[in-house]
Amino acid sequence: MKSKGIDRRWVGKTFDDFLFRPQRGAVQSRRQISLSAHLTDRLSLELPILSANMDSVTGMSMAEAMALEGGIGIIHRGLPIDRQAEKVARVKRAHGAVIENPLCLPKGSTIREARAFALRHKITGILIEESEGSGILAGLLSNRDIPWLGEYSERLVEEFMTPFEHLHTHPPGISYEDAERILFEKRIERLPLVDEQRKIHGLITRKDLLFFRDRPFASKDTKGRLLVGAAIGARGDFVERSAELISAGADCLVIDIAHGHSQVMGRALDTMRRHFPDMALICGNVATGAGARFLKEHGADAVKVGVGPGRGCRTRLETAAGVPQLQAIREAWCAVGESAPIIADGGVSDDKDIFLALICGASTVMLGSALSGTDEAPGQVIEDPATHLKKKIYRGMTSPQAVFESLYDTENPDDLEQAFETPAEGQEMQVPYKGSVADVLSRIRGHLQSAVSYAGERSLAKARAKILPDPMEYLIPLSEAARRESYER
Ligand code: XMP
């Protein structure tokens, strides 16, 4: 039998098959409970949640919101390379303790140009450089300095900026604490970082520092910028796409194909490792121990698990391929343990499913439909004229609609031919409008903290360490009656 060696108690099991046996509590308040988790060996998250790389789930706004709340968003790949890379770059620029390449205008620009520039980039202070591309700081034009009356439109920025001689600046390499002290003591909003030649090396703003102070959970890189991931495929332009995404600042790449335990994936992963030896690579999807081991042996830093549990998936209906999600997570963990963190992908319909995934083997959990319908998910809110109920569209990435839209800009006729040769394994649906994703994530954080407190531990890491060797000791299989008692409301 091909699934030899699997504990029979897990076979056919998924989230609604179990309850968790409550343990003696260990904390006064669940708010003290840490949910810190590994995404890969080197990347960790304070909220173990990823938003799915789907065109109805993760664009720029979702990725930004996910990182601000302690998770991470994976920008989908149904886009031309430059547009996907631009989204990554914009998330990296969205907030940062240090803005590394601050936007500049050269001396000689008009106030009209400065106004348009500030509006377009949503910035409240423009660094003025001596000449275009020189990177030599000439002055700072803050919103307060920009005259908004029409009669000033053709005047030059240097007439209104604070010139270099009157600016407070600092050499690069300053700590955040020192920067905050200077900003406070000098009562200034911005601190340009420049070397002895006045060359610009960065910009620190009071707003950014305060922003992060208010968000202790935010997922940040070593430079204080938000974490973001991006998806790639395993054929065609994936190496070129990866190079662009990496130079745009992506912190991890997700090689995402429907059948990750395959030659195509093996070859792609070997190629990626040759080109980008140090890049964090998450690979999937697989649903068996053998699949997880295969990805790890080819060099994956994390393994994405889930074949067919997703709400927009039709794979199981169309092909019969798949493994019930909790069984798949457990099989993968038994095969690779913590050596390649497991990302449970798909099938989460209630918050309890996330906790079950985490204590049965997953280090983090990817959500699609649970985060769709929010303001930050791409797409418009649709209001039903009869009921006035608000909805958004959620769709599988192989649904005909998503496939067609991703090929909208293609110039390669082979792409079109190949796409329409492959029957759809995804579908589109309407989901209720849910408001801000920050509220959804805050609810998930609270429920996870409560679940850890029922597990009698002070942190998710401790709960996993205690439970993972044998989750069945803590799980209660449900009868039909128990399932009705638990879930029917
Ligand atoms: P949930 O249940 O969170 O699932 O909505 C999200 C995951 O579903 C997968 N996905 C697909 N699977 N056909 C599939 O078989 C598709 O068209 C499709 N689109 C997305 C994907 O793994 C995602 O993260």
Side-chain angles (χ1 to χ4, degrees), residues 373-430:
T374 56
D375 290 322
E376 291 80 357
Q380 298 301 318
V381 178
I382 318 156
E383 186 171 324
D384 185 319
T387 60
H388 298 293
L389 290 176
K390 291 182 175 163
K391 311 257 174 145
K392 284 186 88 164
I393 298 288
Y394 172 69
R395 63 193 188 191
M397 282 304 281
T398 63
S399 64
Q401 296 89 339
V403 170
F404 187 70
E405 209 167 294
S406 73
L407 294 173
Y408 194 71
D409 289 330
T410 191
E411 283 158 18
N412 183 357
D414 290 349
D415 288 349
L416 283 167
E417 209 167 288
Q418 202 189 341
F420 291 110
E421 259 172 23
T422 321
E425 285 180 23
Q427 67 186 63
E428 179 177 291
M429 65 191 70
Q430 292 188 349

Side-chain angles (χ1 to χ4, degrees), residues 82 104 113 136 177 298 332 354 376 380 393 397 401 412:
D82 56 340
C104 299
E113 287 166 329
I136 304 294
E177 288 74 30
H298 278 272
I354 301 173
E376 291 80 357
Q380 298 301 318
I393 298 288
M397 282 304 281
Q401 296 89 339
N412 183 357

Side-chain angles (χ1 to χ4, degrees), residues 55 128 149 160 178 221 228 239 259 289 315 354 359 433 442:
D55 67 359
I128 306 297
L149 295 166
F160 299 93
D178 287 346
D221 64 18
V228 60
V239 173
H259 190 13
T315 304
I354 301 173
I359 57 160
Y433 167 66
S442 155

Side-chain angles (χ1 to χ4, degrees), residues 42 133 189 214 394 399 426 473:
R42 279 174 290 163
E189 294 294 316
D214 289 346
Y394 172 69
S399 64
E473 261 192 46

Side-chain angles (χ1 to χ4, degrees), residues 155-186:
R155 304 267 294 270
L156 300 183
V157 289
E158 49 267 44
E159 294 179 56
F160 299 93
M161 70 184 189
T162 307
F164 179 80
E165 301 70 51
H166 296 158
L167 278 178
H168 292 285
T169 63
H170 200 278
I174 186 175
S175 72
Y176 303 144
E177 288 74 30
D178 287 346
E180 204 170 336
R181 193 167 303 114
I182 294 175
L183 290 165
F184 171 70
E185 283 170 2
K186 308 287 181 203

Side-chain angles (χ1 to χ4, degrees), residues 206-225:
R206 213 164 85 85
K207 195 177 107 229
D208 286 334
L209 289 183
L210 294 181
F211 188 83
F212 279 126
R213 191 165 274 246
D214 289 346
R215 286 176 166 75
F217 299 124
S219 309
K220 287 175 285 181
D221 64 18
T222 50
K223 293 176 178 162
R225 303 172 303 176

